Amino acid sequence: METAFVLSFAGLSFRIDAPEPEWSQRLQERYQAFLADEAAADWRIALRHAPDLPQAAADWARHEATRTEFHIASYRGRVDFATRRAQVLTPDLQRAPSALARTITFIATVILPREKDGLLLHACGLASDAAAFAFCGPSGAGKSTIAQLVPPTLQVMSDENVIVRLSEAGPILYNTPFWGQNTPETRIHRQRIHRPLKAAFILKQSPRWSLRPLAPSQAILALLATEKVAVERTPSAQAWLDIASRLLAQTPIFELGFLPAPELWSFLAEQGFPIPLSSPESRHVPPRPSHSPTPS
Amino acid sequence: MSLPDHLTPRRHPDTAFRVFEGEAVLISPAQNMVRTLNVTGSRIWELMDGEHSIADIAAILSQEFEVSTAHALSSVRAFVQELAERQLVQLAS
């Protein structure tokens, strides 16, 4: 049986070479909605079975020239951006999806700004029939909570990793096959979805509801704090800033103070975000920040 | 000791930056650092191109922000010194 298969999403494609037919079969079942023609693959990832691989004493990643090596949790690997090849070792099939998710999302964070006019967002993506919203934040910010509170009018794209790509028609939000590591499989629905991105919210758990438009530099800092950002090399950081700048010009970004309660949606509706939101008139434009005359 | 005014600071090539509505965001992977600059700091940052001296930059700031040359010079010296210590700019004479 062929052990290779191709994953494709948001204009990215990865040929996965699994170590055994059973691994390949299980992974293909998991990622069925994202399987594609083998000829489409831009990247090749060798997944290797390393039963004796120890847990990392401390997570690390090392970036040199075009290569990155890492040992995170029980996954060890290397990525070569020049040859577009990667290898990741994992001790068993159970942890293979996480190993692939970590490797592929890292590659995506680096190549999306440089090659695809896009960014990987560490976000819960929600889609209506006509629009999408991204709820961004680092681990523990509330992305999974947002996904659990979702009303029937919205579909969860992923509770962990979504991709925004800029286009002449505006930013488009795409889902990925990769959900939160702790999300129960019963809550996961892997389907290809993409919708125009109408707004992004930076999650902030709070004792009261609040919505604050972020000035561009504040929005950039907030996005940088969401963890999955490629700033490991200067060209990566510059590409990320350039694409983020273009995203800000097309998409309002807010800080959302929220309580983990279903009233979230009525609160957003009161703020001009009816669910589903389809009217461009409801966009908010962040005010210009005030400035001090002293360098800081 | 303050920096000589004839020095020409240049943004370090290993620092990525972008100016957002007058405010610069700097990312230095080597320093594992992210920093924002306000309007004045951002203007100084933009002028640190290896062509303008500290005195040139202060003169431009004095005009654009309507402050005395002495005040501008003092601010620019201190700011450049701080960025140089953080290896975000290179200095040449």
Side-chain angles (χ1 to χ4, degrees):
Chain A
M1 179 185 172
E2 177 64 63
T3 58
F5 60 95
V6 172
L7 289 182
S8 173
F9 52 92
L12 305 174
S13 56
F14 303 87
R15 174 188 160 117
I16 314 296
D17 293 314
E20 300 168 21
E22 184 194 354
W23 288 44
S24 179
Q25 183 182 347
R26 295 272 294 276
L27 291 167
Q28 288 188 59
E29 288 168 2
R30 184 183 183 94
Y31 301 127
Q32 190 172 20
F34 295 90
L35 296 178
D37 186 338
E38 188 175 327
D42 296 326
W43 276 76
R44 188 162 185 167
I45 298 178
L47 180 64
R48 295 285 177 260
H49 185 194
D52 299 327
L53 183 70
Q55 185 88 1
D59 293 349
W60 58 265
R62 185 165 49 240
H63 311 287
E64 291 178 357
T66 63
R67 290 182 60 156
T68 291
E69 295 188 43
F70 61 88
H71 192 170
I72 296 170
S74 53
Y75 322 111
R76 180 161 189 155
R78 61 174 183 266
V79 177
D80 190 326
F81 290 95
T83 61
R84 294 177 182 265
R85 286 178 178 249
Q87 182 185 74
V88 59
L89 286 65
T90 184
D92 50 47
L93 173 57
Q94 188 182 0
R95 282 175 277 194
S98 294
L100 278 182
R102 282 182 184 275
T103 307
I104 291 175
T105 54
F106 170 67
I107 294 171
T109 62
V110 174
I111 64 174
L112 280 166
R114 295 192 192 195
E115 302 175 6
K116 303 288 185 181
D117 283 353
L119 300 175
L120 185 133
L121 299 179
H122 196 191
C124 171
L126 302 182
S128 68
D129 287 343
F133 308 91
F135 296 80
C136 311
S139 300
K143 297 184 295 297
S144 299
T145 303
I146 293 285
Q148 290 171 35
L149 294 173
V150 69
T153 49
L154 294 175
Q155 184 174 2
V156 182
M157 302 170 74
S158 164
D159 63 354
E160 181 79 358
N161 299 290
V162 290
I163 286 169
V164 60
R165 290 191 59 189
L166 307 179
S167 72
E168 288 185 5
I172 307 291
L173 194 69
Y174 294 80
N175 63 347
T176 73
F178 307 120
W179 288 55
Q181 276 193 313
N182 299 320
T183 306
E185 280 295 320
T186 51
R187 289 215 181 100
I188 294 176
H189 303 286
R190 290 189 176 88
Q191 294 176 298
R192 286 176 187 268
I193 309 170
H194 64 274
R195 298 279 189 279
L197 176 64
K198 293 301 182 187
F201 304 94
I202 306 293
L203 295 175
K204 180 184 175 187
Q205 294 191 18
S206 164
R208 62 185 65 84
W209 307 103
S210 64
L211 189 69
R212 182 170 70 97
L214 292 176
S217 62
Q218 294 174 320
I220 289 295
L221 289 181
L223 288 172
L224 284 168
T226 62
E227 296 171 342
K228 293 188 179 177
V229 178
V231 293
E232 84 296 342
R233 297 170 173 86
T234 305
S236 297
Q238 192 62 61
W240 188 91
L241 284 171
D242 293 345
I243 297 298
S245 170
R246 291 170 55 195
L247 174 65
L248 291 180
Q250 298 183 339
T251 308
I253 297 185
F254 301 87
E255 180 186 83
L256 173 62
F258 81 103
L259 301 161
E263 287 77 17
L264 167 65
W265 312 110
S266 56
F267 170 75
L268 286 177
E270 289 167 9
Q271 302 300 313
F273 292 96
I275 304 297
L277 174 66
S278 58
S279 168
E281 284 76 26
S282 58
R283 284 191 174 188
H284 294 242
V285 178
R288 291 178 65 84
S290 58
H291 301 296
S292 152
T294 306
S296 66
Chain B
M1 193 176 80
S2 62
L3 296 171
D5 298 343
H6 69 275
L7 290 182
T8 54
R10 180 193 295 274
R11 299 182 295 270
H12 197 292
D14 288 342
T15 303
F17 78 99
R18 182 94 190 183
V19 179
F20 298 90
E21 294 190 353
E23 292 186 315
V25 176
L26 317 183
I27 301 176
S28 170
Q31 310 287 327
N32 194 24
M33 183 222 71
V34 175
R35 180 164 178 178
T36 56
L37 306 178
N38 68 13
V39 167
T40 315
S42 299
R43 184 67 178 127
I44 297 172
W45 179 261
E46 287 182 308
L47 290 167
M48 291 193 297
D49 54 6
E51 300 292 329
H52 292 88
S53 68
I54 288 175
D56 294 336
I57 295 171
I60 292 170
L61 251 64
S62 171
Q63 195 169 34
E64 291 182 354
F65 291 87
E66 297 180 351
V67 295
S68 70
T69 304
H71 178 73
L73 200 51
S74 170
S75 296
V76 174
R77 283 187 193 129
F79 188 56
V80 172
Q81 174 95 47
E82 181 197 342
L83 295 184
E85 288 171 357
R86 295 174 185 273
Q87 298 180 28
L88 296 174
V89 298
Q90 299 170 324
L91 298 173
S93 51

